[in-house]
Amino acid sequence: MALTGYSWLLLSATFLSAGAEISINPEPEQPAEGDNITLAVHGLSGELLAYSWYAGPTLSLAYLVASYIVSTGDETPGPAHTGREAVRPDGSLDIRGALLGHSGTYILQTLNRQLQTEVGYGHLQVYEILAPPVVLANTTELVERRDTLRLICSSPSPAEVRWFFNGEALPIDIRLGLSPDGRVLTRHGIRREEAGAYQCEVRNPVSVSRSEPINLTVYFGPERVAIIHDSTTRTGCTIKVDFNTSLTLWCVSRSCPEPEYVWAFNGRALKNGQDYLNISSMTAAHEGTYTCIAKNPKTLLSGSASVVVKLSAAVVAMSIVPVPTKPTEGQDVTLTVQGYPKDLLVYAWYRGPASEPNRLLSQLPSGNWIAGPAHTGREVGFANCSLLVQKLNLTDAGRYTLKTVTLQGKTETLELELQVAPME
């Protein structure tokens, strides 16, 4: 009887036996999609008449890939043939440009001259060439110890997932937040140490693909707010400064992002949004408490630090210093008073000796000053006893006298010889 088409399959139902000697091995062992694969057959015995390959769990016609007649070399495709399969004379099955759908169980059925059949079983796993996954985040800007981070490694492949932090394998403590399948990373109460670049990687035996990094920022602070002077932290200290010298205070803190700064002097806000405060010429009017307030616009937290600034003890005695020290004709000059009495009641300036006709101006207890007989309209008094003379002329040179009276009635008189250089 000649075997053609599917006719020999009808016989197999009567004579089917399981042959444990037949083995089927894919070559290569771990093929990727697009590879040419051979399901190599080993352990065939006897004089065989035909082969039949099935791509499925049972010997069902629906799973038949192809039948092959050994004597003629005729191959008949079955319902499961995809156009990529071909049976070799030795019984092996070639698959050209394998697809992921070729994965599964394969059965080889043989027929010998005694019309007896044997079957062999094999499994084929075709691995996907993985596309880069994508990391999805619930947010990329978080507040420390307040917000929860949730990262998802998005990939259509069921491949193994690994995570990376700043290019290195995920630290163990962070790894504890992974879901069982490794695709979701959750961190409650995020910490600043966890800010950085996150990536996930999918892998199988033939392919590895890593995502683009997603950068996370963790906001914190401000904390450890401090005031620095001359590279030394002076928070809570008293800084003593020489008269008419400059002073710069720096405000520092640990914060992300950089905080907004506000300075206050004796509790009153100053118009300064910088991280430093500069006093160009120290006088008694600058004595007091300076406070730096750091505010984080992301965490909505704030912190502060304060220092006390005082004139050095060496300059406590009252003195008068012209600023500039060598004024010229046409300039303004300030006769700056250092060490004036803190319990001051009134003061008066005179052009020459302290007599009423020579009085330039006086300051009253109310804080207002009134002009005297010698006032030219160019003199202005200040609360710290200093005197401003505007648009100097050569006749302004000479003696100036300051007289102060305290609340206790103590009177002190101080004189200065002002020199005015002619305009060149």
Side-chain angles (χ1 to χ4, degrees), residues 127-164:
Y127 292 97
E128 178 183 2
I129 300 298
L130 299 170
V134 176
V135 177
L136 305 176
N138 60 329
T139 179
T140 57
E141 298 182 355
L142 305 102
V143 174
E144 186 177 41
R145 303 188 184 280
R146 188 185 75 187
D147 292 341
T148 295
L149 169 66
R150 182 179 173 86
L151 298 179
I152 299 175
C153 186
S154 177
S155 171
S157 169
E160 175 190 358
V161 174
R162 294 184 181 181
W163 287 88
F164 294 84

PDB file of all heavy atoms in Angstrom, residues 127-164:
ATOM      1  N   TYR A 127      12.695  33.385  21.949  1.00  0.00           N
ATOM      2  CA  TYR A 127      12.783  34.565  22.814  1.00  0.00           C
ATOM      3  C   TYR A 127      12.663  35.853  22.015  1.00  0.00           C
ATOM      4  O   TYR A 127      13.188  35.969  20.899  1.00  0.00           O
ATOM      5  CB  TYR A 127      14.090  34.553  23.596  1.00  0.00           C
ATOM      6  CG  TYR A 127      14.162  33.450  24.629  1.00  0.00           C
ATOM      7  CD1 TYR A 127      14.815  32.257  24.338  1.00  0.00           C
ATOM      8  CD2 TYR A 127      13.552  33.600  25.858  1.00  0.00           C
ATOM      9  CE1 TYR A 127      14.867  31.232  25.278  1.00  0.00           C
ATOM     10  CE2 TYR A 127      13.599  32.588  26.804  1.00  0.00           C
ATOM     11  CZ  TYR A 127      14.257  31.408  26.502  1.00  0.00           C
ATOM     12  OH  TYR A 127      14.311  30.396  27.435  1.00  0.00           O
ATOM     13  N   GLU A 128      12.012  36.781  22.639  1.00  0.00           N
ATOM     14  CA  GLU A 128      11.775  38.093  22.025  1.00  0.00           C
ATOM     15  C   GLU A 128      13.033  38.953  22.055  1.00  0.00           C
ATOM     16  O   GLU A 128      13.787  38.937  23.028  1.00  0.00           O
ATOM     17  CB  GLU A 128      10.654  38.779  22.798  1.00  0.00           C
ATOM     18  CG  GLU A 128      10.294  40.172  22.323  1.00  0.00           C
ATOM     19  CD  GLU A 128       9.225  40.804  23.199  1.00  0.00           C
ATOM     20  OE1 GLU A 128       8.797  40.174  24.182  1.00  0.00           O
ATOM     21  OE2 GLU A 128       8.829  41.944  22.890  1.00  0.00           O
ATOM     22  N   ILE A 129      13.275  39.721  20.992  1.00  0.00           N
ATOM     23  CA  ILE A 129      14.279  40.789  21.008  1.00  0.00           C
ATOM     24  C   ILE A 129      13.613  41.981  21.681  1.00  0.00           C
ATOM     25  O   ILE A 129      12.706  42.603  21.123  1.00  0.00           O
ATOM     26  CB  ILE A 129      14.755  41.154  19.594  1.00  0.00           C
ATOM     27  CG1 ILE A 129      15.369  39.922  18.920  1.00  0.00           C
ATOM     28  CG2 ILE A 129      15.763  42.294  19.654  1.00  0.00           C
ATOM     29  CD1 ILE A 129      16.587  39.370  19.627  1.00  0.00           C
ATOM     30  N   LEU A 130      14.050  42.281  22.880  1.00  0.00           N
ATOM     31  CA  LEU A 130      13.309  43.200  23.739  1.00  0.00           C
ATOM     32  C   LEU A 130      13.496  44.659  23.336  1.00  0.00           C
ATOM     33  O   LEU A 130      14.627  45.104  23.070  1.00  0.00           O
ATOM     34  CB  LEU A 130      13.748  43.008  25.189  1.00  0.00           C
ATOM     35  CG  LEU A 130      13.503  41.605  25.757  1.00  0.00           C
ATOM     36  CD1 LEU A 130      14.196  41.449  27.098  1.00  0.00           C
ATOM     37  CD2 LEU A 130      12.012  41.336  25.891  1.00  0.00           C
ATOM     38  N   ALA A 131      12.394  45.381  23.300  1.00  0.00           N
ATOM     39  CA  ALA A 131      12.444  46.831  23.101  1.00  0.00           C
ATOM     40  C   ALA A 131      12.719  47.508  24.441  1.00  0.00           C
ATOM     41  O   ALA A 131      12.431  46.947  25.498  1.00  0.00           O
ATOM     42  CB  ALA A 131      11.117  47.324  22.526  1.00  0.00           C
ATOM     43  N   PRO A 132      13.300  48.715  24.433  1.00  0.00           N
ATOM     44  CA  PRO A 132      13.575  49.403  25.704  1.00  0.00           C
ATOM     45  C   PRO A 132      12.279  49.644  26.479  1.00  0.00           C
ATOM     46  O   PRO A 132      11.285  50.109  25.915  1.00  0.00           O
ATOM     47  CB  PRO A 132      14.218  50.723  25.273  1.00  0.00           C
ATOM     48  CG  PRO A 132      14.758  50.452  23.910  1.00  0.00           C
ATOM     49  CD  PRO A 132      13.814  49.474  23.282  1.00  0.00           C
ATOM     50  N   PRO A 133      12.267  49.335  27.761  1.00  0.00           N
ATOM     51  CA  PRO A 133      11.090  49.649  28.576  1.00  0.00           C
ATOM     52  C   PRO A 133      11.032  51.138  28.872  1.00  0.00           C
ATOM     53  O   PRO A 133      11.963  51.893  28.552  1.00  0.00           O
ATOM     54  CB  PRO A 133      11.327  48.833  29.848  1.00  0.00           C
ATOM     55  CG  PRO A 133      12.822  48.757  29.957  1.00  0.00           C
ATOM     56  CD  PRO A 133      13.342  48.707  28.536  1.00  0.00           C
ATOM     57  N   VAL A 134       9.968  51.564  29.513  1.00  0.00           N
ATOM     58  CA  VAL A 134       9.779  52.967  29.889  1.00  0.00           C
ATOM     59  C   VAL A 134       9.448  53.015  31.377  1.00  0.00           C
ATOM     60  O   VAL A 134       8.604  52.244  31.849  1.00  0.00           O
ATOM     61  CB  VAL A 134       8.652  53.632  29.070  1.00  0.00           C
ATOM     62  CG1 VAL A 134       8.419  55.059  29.544  1.00  0.00           C
ATOM     63  CG2 VAL A 134       8.989  53.604  27.588  1.00  0.00           C
ATOM     64  N   VAL A 135      10.126  53.910  32.106  1.00  0.00           N
ATOM     65  CA  VAL A 135       9.829  54.089  33.522  1.00  0.00           C
ATOM     66  C   VAL A 135       8.772  55.182  33.666  1.00  0.00           C
ATOM     67  O   VAL A 135       8.969  56.308  33.211  1.00  0.00           O
ATOM     68  CB  VAL A 135      11.088  54.456  34.328  1.00  0.00           C
ATOM     69  CG1 VAL A 135      10.727  54.706  35.787  1.00  0.00           C
ATOM     70  CG2 VAL A 135      12.122  53.346  34.227  1.00  0.00           C
ATOM     71  N   LEU A 136       7.666  54.836  34.301  1.00  0.00           N
ATOM     72  CA  LEU A 136       6.585  55.786  34.553  1.00  0.00           C
ATOM     73  C   LEU A 136       6.593  56.142  36.036  1.00  0.00           C
ATOM     74  O   LEU A 136       6.727  55.254  36.893  1.00  0.00           O
ATOM     75  CB  LEU A 136       5.241  55.173  34.165  1.00  0.00           C
ATOM     76  CG  LEU A 136       5.120  54.645  32.725  1.00  0.00           C
ATOM     77  CD1 LEU A 136       3.766  53.976  32.522  1.00  0.00           C
ATOM     78  CD2 LEU A 136       5.328  55.769  31.723  1.00  0.00           C
ATOM     79  N   ALA A 137       6.452  57.420  36.338  1.00  0.00           N
ATOM     80  CA  ALA A 137       6.503  57.881  37.726  1.00  0.00           C
ATOM     81  C   ALA A 137       5.238  58.653  38.068  1.00  0.00           C
ATOM     82  O   ALA A 137       4.697  59.385  37.229  1.00  0.00           O
ATOM     83  CB  ALA A 137       7.730  58.771  37.959  1.00  0.00           C
ATOM     84  N   ASN A 138       4.775  58.488  39.316  1.00  0.00           N
ATOM     85  CA  ASN A 138       3.627  59.279  39.746  1.00  0.00           C
ATOM     86  C   ASN A 138       3.995  60.755  39.857  1.00  0.00           C
ATOM     87  O   ASN A 138       3.157  61.636  39.702  1.00  0.00           O
ATOM     88  CB  ASN A 138       3.073  58.771  41.072  1.00  0.00           C
ATOM     89  CG  ASN A 138       4.094  58.819  42.195  1.00  0.00           C
ATOM     90  OD1 ASN A 138       5.296  58.681  41.966  1.00  0.00           O
ATOM     91  ND2 ASN A 138       3.634  59.010  43.424  1.00  0.00           N
ATOM     92  N   THR A 139       5.276  61.039  40.103  1.00  0.00           N
ATOM     93  CA  THR A 139       5.788  62.409  40.109  1.00  0.00           C
ATOM     94  C   THR A 139       7.304  62.336  40.108  1.00  0.00           C
ATOM     95  O   THR A 139       7.882  61.331  40.535  1.00  0.00           O
ATOM     96  CB  THR A 139       5.297  63.209  41.335  1.00  0.00           C
ATOM     97  OG1 THR A 139       5.856  64.533  41.292  1.00  0.00           O
ATOM     98  CG2 THR A 139       5.733  62.550  42.627  1.00  0.00           C
ATOM     99  N   THR A 140       7.954  63.378  39.628  1.00  0.00           N
ATOM    100  CA  THR A 140       9.420  63.421  39.647  1.00  0.00           C
ATOM    101  C   THR A 140       9.935  64.449  40.640  1.00  0.00           C
ATOM    102  O   THR A 140      11.148  64.624  40.764  1.00  0.00           O
ATOM    103  CB  THR A 140       9.964  63.764  38.249  1.00  0.00           C
ATOM    104  OG1 THR A 140       9.414  65.013  37.808  1.00  0.00           O
ATOM    105  CG2 THR A 140       9.623  62.667  37.251  1.00  0.00           C
ATOM    106  N   GLU A 141       9.037  65.117  41.353  1.00  0.00           N
ATOM    107  CA  GLU A 141       9.431  66.088  42.377  1.00  0.00           C
ATOM    108  C   GLU A 141       8.691  65.753  43.663  1.00  0.00           C
ATOM    109  O   GLU A 141       7.454  65.807  43.708  1.00  0.00           O
ATOM    110  CB  GLU A 141       9.117  67.526  41.928  1.00  0.00           C
ATOM    111  CG  GLU A 141       9.869  67.952  40.678  1.00  0.00           C
ATOM    112  CD  GLU A 141       9.580  69.385  40.294  1.00  0.00           C
ATOM    113  OE1 GLU A 141       8.716  70.021  40.939  1.00  0.00           O
ATOM    114  OE2 GLU A 141      10.210  69.891  39.347  1.00  0.00           O
ATOM    115  N   LEU A 142       9.461  65.397  44.700  1.00  0.00           N
ATOM    116  CA  LEU A 142       8.852  64.936  45.934  1.00  0.00           C
ATOM    117  C   LEU A 142       9.429  65.685  47.122  1.00  0.00           C
ATOM    118  O   LEU A 142      10.544  66.205  47.061  1.00  0.00           O
ATOM    119  CB  LEU A 142       9.108  63.433  46.128  1.00  0.00           C
ATOM    120  CG  LEU A 142       8.667  62.511  44.984  1.00  0.00           C
ATOM    121  CD1 LEU A 142       9.891  62.114  44.169  1.00  0.00           C
ATOM    122  CD2 LEU A 142       7.972  61.271  45.508  1.00  0.00           C
ATOM    123  N   VAL A 143       8.656  65.720  48.204  1.00  0.00           N
ATOM    124  CA  VAL A 143       9.101  66.341  49.452  1.00  0.00           C
ATOM    125  C   VAL A 143       9.513  65.236  50.417  1.00  0.00           C
ATOM    126  O   VAL A 143       8.766  64.270  50.621  1.00  0.00           O
ATOM    127  CB  VAL A 143       7.995  67.214  50.068  1.00  0.00           C
ATOM    128  CG1 VAL A 143       8.421  67.744  51.436  1.00  0.00           C
ATOM    129  CG2 VAL A 143       7.660  68.371  49.136  1.00  0.00           C
ATOM    130  N   GLU A 144      10.685  65.395  51.009  1.00  0.00           N
ATOM    131  CA  GLU A 144      11.233  64.371  51.885  1.00  0.00           C
ATOM    132  C   GLU A 144      10.297  64.054  53.051  1.00  0.00           C
ATOM    133  O   GLU A 144       9.714  64.951  53.664  1.00  0.00           O
ATOM    134  CB  GLU A 144      12.590  64.830  52.429  1.00  0.00           C
ATOM    135  CG  GLU A 144      13.294  63.762  53.244  1.00  0.00           C
ATOM    136  CD  GLU A 144      14.665  64.209  53.711  1.00  0.00           C
ATOM    137  OE1 GLU A 144      14.809  65.387  54.123  1.00  0.00           O
ATOM    138  OE2 GLU A 144      15.593  63.393  53.665  1.00  0.00           O
ATOM    139  N   ARG A 145      10.171  62.738  53.329  1.00  0.00           N
ATOM    140  CA  ARG A 145       9.411  62.183  54.441  1.00  0.00           C
ATOM    141  C   ARG A 145       7.915  62.511  54.390  1.00  0.00           C
ATOM    142  O   ARG A 145       7.189  62.233  55.340  1.00  0.00           O
ATOM    143  CB  ARG A 145       9.989  62.631  55.796  1.00  0.00           C
ATOM    144  CG  ARG A 145      11.455  62.261  55.949  1.00  0.00           C
ATOM    145  CD  ARG A 145      11.959  62.534  57.346  1.00  0.00           C
ATOM    146  NE  ARG A 145      13.386  62.260  57.430  1.00  0.00           N
ATOM    147  CZ  ARG A 145      13.934  61.065  57.572  1.00  0.00           C
ATOM    148  NH1 ARG A 145      13.156  60.001  57.617  1.00  0.00           N
ATOM    149  NH2 ARG A 145      15.245  60.904  57.645  1.00  0.00           N
ATOM    150  N   ARG A 146       7.485  63.087  53.291  1.00  0.00           N
ATOM    151  CA  ARG A 146       6.064  63.401  53.165  1.00  0.00           C
ATOM    152  C   ARG A 146       5.424  62.671  51.988  1.00  0.00           C
ATOM    153  O   ARG A 146       4.303  62.171  52.093  1.00  0.00           O
ATOM    154  CB  ARG A 146       5.872  64.917  52.998  1.00  0.00           C
ATOM    155  CG  ARG A 146       4.418  65.362  53.060  1.00  0.00           C
ATOM    156  CD  ARG A 146       4.286  66.850  52.772  1.00  0.00           C
ATOM    157  NE  ARG A 146       4.442  67.159  51.349  1.00  0.00           N
ATOM    158  CZ  ARG A 146       4.499  68.390  50.868  1.00  0.00           C
ATOM    159  NH1 ARG A 146       4.460  69.421  51.695  1.00  0.00           N
ATOM    160  NH2 ARG A 146       4.638  68.588  49.570  1.00  0.00           N
ATOM    161  N   ASP A 147       6.135  62.619  50.872  1.00  0.00           N
ATOM    162  CA  ASP A 147       5.553  62.072  49.642  1.00  0.00           C
ATOM    163  C   ASP A 147       5.925  60.608  49.439  1.00  0.00           C
ATOM    164  O   ASP A 147       6.927  60.117  49.964  1.00  0.00           O
ATOM    165  CB  ASP A 147       6.010  62.889  48.432  1.00  0.00           C
ATOM    166  CG  ASP A 147       5.427  64.289  48.426  1.00  0.00           C
ATOM    167  OD1 ASP A 147       4.418  64.497  49.119  1.00  0.00           O
ATOM    168  OD2 ASP A 147       5.978  65.163  47.738  1.00  0.00           O
ATOM    169  N   THR A 148       5.111  59.930  48.632  1.00  0.00           N
ATOM    170  CA  THR A 148       5.343  58.533  48.259  1.00  0.00           C
ATOM    171  C   THR A 148       5.725  58.463  46.792  1.00  0.00           C
ATOM    172  O   THR A 148       5.094  59.094  45.940  1.00  0.00           O
ATOM    173  CB  THR A 148       4.080  57.680  48.506  1.00  0.00           C
ATOM    174  OG1 THR A 148       3.818  57.645  49.907  1.00  0.00           O
ATOM    175  CG2 THR A 148       4.267  56.263  48.000  1.00  0.00           C
ATOM    176  N   LEU A 149       6.771  57.702  46.508  1.00  0.00           N
ATOM    177  CA  LEU A 149       7.231  57.504  45.135  1.00  0.00           C
ATOM    178  C   LEU A 149       6.692  56.179  44.609  1.00  0.00           C
ATOM    179  O   LEU A 149       6.741  55.155  45.300  1.00  0.00           O
ATOM    180  CB  LEU A 149       8.765  57.487  45.087  1.00  0.00           C
ATOM    181  CG  LEU A 149       9.397  57.037  43.766  1.00  0.00           C
ATOM    182  CD1 LEU A 149       9.099  58.041  42.661  1.00  0.00           C
ATOM    183  CD2 LEU A 149      10.889  56.822  43.932  1.00  0.00           C
ATOM    184  N   ARG A 150       6.213  56.204  43.367  1.00  0.00           N
ATOM    185  CA  ARG A 150       5.748  54.978  42.715  1.00  0.00           C
ATOM    186  C   ARG A 150       6.271  54.977  41.282  1.00  0.00           C
ATOM    187  O   ARG A 150       5.892  55.832  40.478  1.00  0.00           O
ATOM    188  CB  ARG A 150       4.219  54.892  42.739  1.00  0.00           C
ATOM    189  CG  ARG A 150       3.661  53.608  42.102  1.00  0.00           C
ATOM    190  CD  ARG A 150       2.146  53.598  42.187  1.00  0.00           C
ATOM    191  NE  ARG A 150       1.549  52.496  41.453  1.00  0.00           N
ATOM    192  CZ  ARG A 150       1.363  51.277  41.949  1.00  0.00           C
ATOM    193  NH1 ARG A 150       1.738  51.026  43.187  1.00  0.00           N
ATOM    194  NH2 ARG A 150       0.799  50.330  41.221  1.00  0.00           N
ATOM    195  N   LEU A 151       7.156  54.027  41.004  1.00  0.00           N
ATOM    196  CA  LEU A 151       7.727  53.874  39.670  1.00  0.00           C
ATOM    197  C   LEU A 151       7.242  52.564  39.063  1.00  0.00           C
ATOM    198  O   LEU A 151       7.203  51.534  39.743  1.00  0.00           O
ATOM    199  CB  LEU A 151       9.257  53.875  39.720  1.00  0.00           C
ATOM    200  CG  LEU A 151       9.940  55.142  40.241  1.00  0.00           C
ATOM    201  CD1 LEU A 151      11.451  54.943  40.249  1.00  0.00           C
ATOM    202  CD2 LEU A 151       9.575  56.350  39.397  1.00  0.00           C
ATOM    203  N   ILE A 152       6.912  52.595  37.777  1.00  0.00           N
ATOM    204  CA  ILE A 152       6.455  51.405  37.063  1.00  0.00           C
ATOM    205  C   ILE A 152       7.370  51.173  35.866  1.00  0.00           C
ATOM    206  O   ILE A 152       7.625  52.096  35.093  1.00  0.00           O
ATOM    207  CB  ILE A 152       4.998  51.551  36.585  1.00  0.00           C
ATOM    208  CG1 ILE A 152       4.066  51.748  37.782  1.00  0.00           C
ATOM    209  CG2 ILE A 152       4.576  50.336  35.777  1.00  0.00           C
ATOM    210  CD1 ILE A 152       2.623  52.025  37.385  1.00  0.00           C
ATOM    211  N   CYS A 153       7.867  49.943  35.743  1.00  0.00           N
ATOM    212  CA  CYS A 153       8.651  49.568  34.561  1.00  0.00           C
ATOM    213  C   CYS A 153       7.667  49.037  33.526  1.00  0.00           C
ATOM    214  O   CYS A 153       7.142  47.916  33.658  1.00  0.00           O
ATOM    215  CB  CYS A 153       9.694  48.508  34.923  1.00  0.00           C
ATOM    216  SG  CYS A 153      10.804  48.116  33.545  1.00  0.00           S
ATOM    217  N   SER A 154       7.408  49.842  32.508  1.00  0.00           N
ATOM    218  CA  SER A 154       6.397  49.502  31.506  1.00  0.00           C
ATOM    219  C   SER A 154       7.052  48.799  30.319  1.00  0.00           C
ATOM    220  O   SER A 154       7.906  49.380  29.635  1.00  0.00           O
ATOM    221  CB  SER A 154       5.675  50.770  31.042  1.00  0.00           C
ATOM    222  OG  SER A 154       4.740  50.483  30.025  1.00  0.00           O
ATOM    223  N   SER A 155       6.639  47.542  30.094  1.00  0.00           N
ATOM    224  CA  SER A 155       7.157  46.762  28.966  1.00  0.00           C
ATOM    225  C   SER A 155       6.112  45.721  28.605  1.00  0.00           C
ATOM    226  O   SER A 155       5.542  45.076  29.498  1.00  0.00           O
ATOM    227  CB  SER A 155       8.478  46.081  29.330  1.00  0.00           C
ATOM    228  OG  SER A 155       8.870  45.158  28.326  1.00  0.00           O
ATOM    229  N   PRO A 156       5.840  45.523  27.307  1.00  0.00           N
ATOM    230  CA  PRO A 156       4.859  44.495  26.914  1.00  0.00           C
ATOM    231  C   PRO A 156       5.380  43.081  27.100  1.00  0.00           C
ATOM    232  O   PRO A 156       4.616  42.120  27.046  1.00  0.00           O
ATOM    233  CB  PRO A 156       4.612  44.814  25.433  1.00  0.00           C
ATOM    234  CG  PRO A 156       5.868  45.474  24.976  1.00  0.00           C
ATOM    235  CD  PRO A 156       6.367  46.264  26.147  1.00  0.00           C
ATOM    236  N   SER A 157       6.663  42.933  27.317  1.00  0.00           N
ATOM    237  CA  SER A 157       7.264  41.603  27.434  1.00  0.00           C
ATOM    238  C   SER A 157       7.167  41.098  28.869  1.00  0.00           C
ATOM    239  O   SER A 157       7.308  41.864  29.824  1.00  0.00           O
ATOM    240  CB  SER A 157       8.726  41.653  27.017  1.00  0.00           C
ATOM    241  OG  SER A 157       9.377  40.450  27.351  1.00  0.00           O
ATOM    242  N   PRO A 158       6.963  39.795  29.052  1.00  0.00           N
ATOM    243  CA  PRO A 158       6.957  39.208  30.400  1.00  0.00           C
ATOM    244  C   PRO A 158       8.358  38.908  30.919  1.00  0.00           C
ATOM    245  O   PRO A 158       8.532  38.047  31.773  1.00  0.00           O
ATOM    246  CB  PRO A 158       6.160  37.921  30.190  1.00  0.00           C
ATOM    247  CG  PRO A 158       6.465  37.522  28.789  1.00  0.00           C
ATOM    248  CD  PRO A 158       6.605  38.801  28.008  1.00  0.00           C
ATOM    249  N   ALA A 159       9.351  39.594  30.402  1.00  0.00           N
ATOM    250  CA  ALA A 159      10.740  39.306  30.743  1.00  0.00           C
ATOM    251  C   ALA A 159      11.056  39.692  32.181  1.00  0.00           C
ATOM    252  O   ALA A 159      10.322  40.423  32.839  1.00  0.00           O
ATOM    253  CB  ALA A 159      11.676  40.057  29.787  1.00  0.00           C
ATOM    254  N   GLU A 160      12.198  39.188  32.655  1.00  0.00           N
ATOM    255  CA  GLU A 160      12.694  39.538  33.983  1.00  0.00           C
ATOM    256  C   GLU A 160      13.031  41.031  34.030  1.00  0.00           C
ATOM    257  O   GLU A 160      13.520  41.594  33.054  1.00  0.00           O
ATOM    258  CB  GLU A 160      13.947  38.710  34.279  1.00  0.00           C
ATOM    259  CG  GLU A 160      14.631  39.059  35.584  1.00  0.00           C
ATOM    260  CD  GLU A 160      15.984  38.390  35.724  1.00  0.00           C
ATOM    261  OE1 GLU A 160      16.365  37.632  34.810  1.00  0.00           O
ATOM    262  OE2 GLU A 160      16.668  38.647  36.735  1.00  0.00           O
ATOM    263  N   VAL A 161      12.775  41.662  35.180  1.00  0.00           N
ATOM    264  CA  VAL A 161      12.996  43.102  35.332  1.00  0.00           C
ATOM    265  C   VAL A 161      14.062  43.349  36.399  1.00  0.00           C
ATOM    266  O   VAL A 161      14.044  42.725  37.471  1.00  0.00           O
ATOM    267  CB  VAL A 161      11.696  43.832  35.719  1.00  0.00           C
ATOM    268  CG1 VAL A 161      11.966  45.309  36.011  1.00  0.00           C
ATOM    269  CG2 VAL A 161      10.671  43.702  34.603  1.00  0.00           C
ATOM    270  N   ARG A 162      14.969  44.244  36.102  1.00  0.00           N
ATOM    271  CA  ARG A 162      15.952  44.707  37.071  1.00  0.00           C
ATOM    272  C   ARG A 162      15.926  46.226  37.108  1.00  0.00           C
ATOM    273  O   ARG A 162      15.658  46.867  36.094  1.00  0.00           O
ATOM    274  CB  ARG A 162      17.363  44.209  36.721  1.00  0.00           C
ATOM    275  CG  ARG A 162      17.533  42.699  36.821  1.00  0.00           C
ATOM    276  CD  ARG A 162      18.970  42.291  36.559  1.00  0.00           C
ATOM    277  NE  ARG A 162      19.150  40.851  36.620  1.00  0.00           N
ATOM    278  CZ  ARG A 162      20.307  40.249  36.444  1.00  0.00           C
ATOM    279  NH1 ARG A 162      21.406  40.967  36.199  1.00  0.00           N
ATOM    280  NH2 ARG A 162      20.402  38.935  36.516  1.00  0.00           N
ATOM    281  N   TRP A 163      16.254  46.789  38.291  1.00  0.00           N
ATOM    282  CA  TRP A 163      16.253  48.241  38.472  1.00  0.00           C
ATOM    283  C   TRP A 163      17.663  48.743  38.733  1.00  0.00           C
ATOM    284  O   TRP A 163      18.486  48.038  39.333  1.00  0.00           O
ATOM    285  CB  TRP A 163      15.353  48.629  39.642  1.00  0.00           C
ATOM    286  CG  TRP A 163      13.892  48.493  39.355  1.00  0.00           C
ATOM    287  CD1 TRP A 163      13.124  47.387  39.523  1.00  0.00           C
ATOM    288  CD2 TRP A 163      13.014  49.502  38.837  1.00  0.00           C
ATOM    289  NE1 TRP A 163      11.824  47.633  39.152  1.00  0.00           N
ATOM    290  CE2 TRP A 163      11.733  48.926  38.732  1.00  0.00           C
ATOM    291  CE3 TRP A 163      13.192  50.834  38.466  1.00  0.00           C
ATOM    292  CZ2 TRP A 163      10.632  49.644  38.264  1.00  0.00           C
ATOM    293  CZ3 TRP A 163      12.103  51.554  38.006  1.00  0.00           C
ATOM    294  CH2 TRP A 163      10.837  50.959  37.903  1.00  0.00           C
ATOM    295  N   PHE A 164      17.890  49.992  38.302  1.00  0.00           N
ATOM    296  CA  PHE A 164      19.192  50.626  38.502  1.00  0.00           C
ATOM    297  C   PHE A 164      18.989  52.028  39.050  1.00  0.00           C
ATOM    298  O   PHE A 164      18.038  52.724  38.690  1.00  0.00           O
ATOM    299  CB  PHE A 164      19.985  50.670  37.188  1.00  0.00           C
ATOM    300  CG  PHE A 164      20.366  49.311  36.677  1.00  0.00           C
ATOM    301  CD1 PHE A 164      19.478  48.566  35.913  1.00  0.00           C
ATOM    302  CD2 PHE A 164      21.602  48.775  36.982  1.00  0.00           C
ATOM    303  CE1 PHE A 164      19.819  47.306  35.460  1.00  0.00           C
ATOM    304  CE2 PHE A 164      21.956  47.519  36.531  1.00  0.00           C
ATOM    305  CZ  PHE A 164      21.069  46.780  35.765  1.00  0.00           C
TER     306      PHE A 164
END
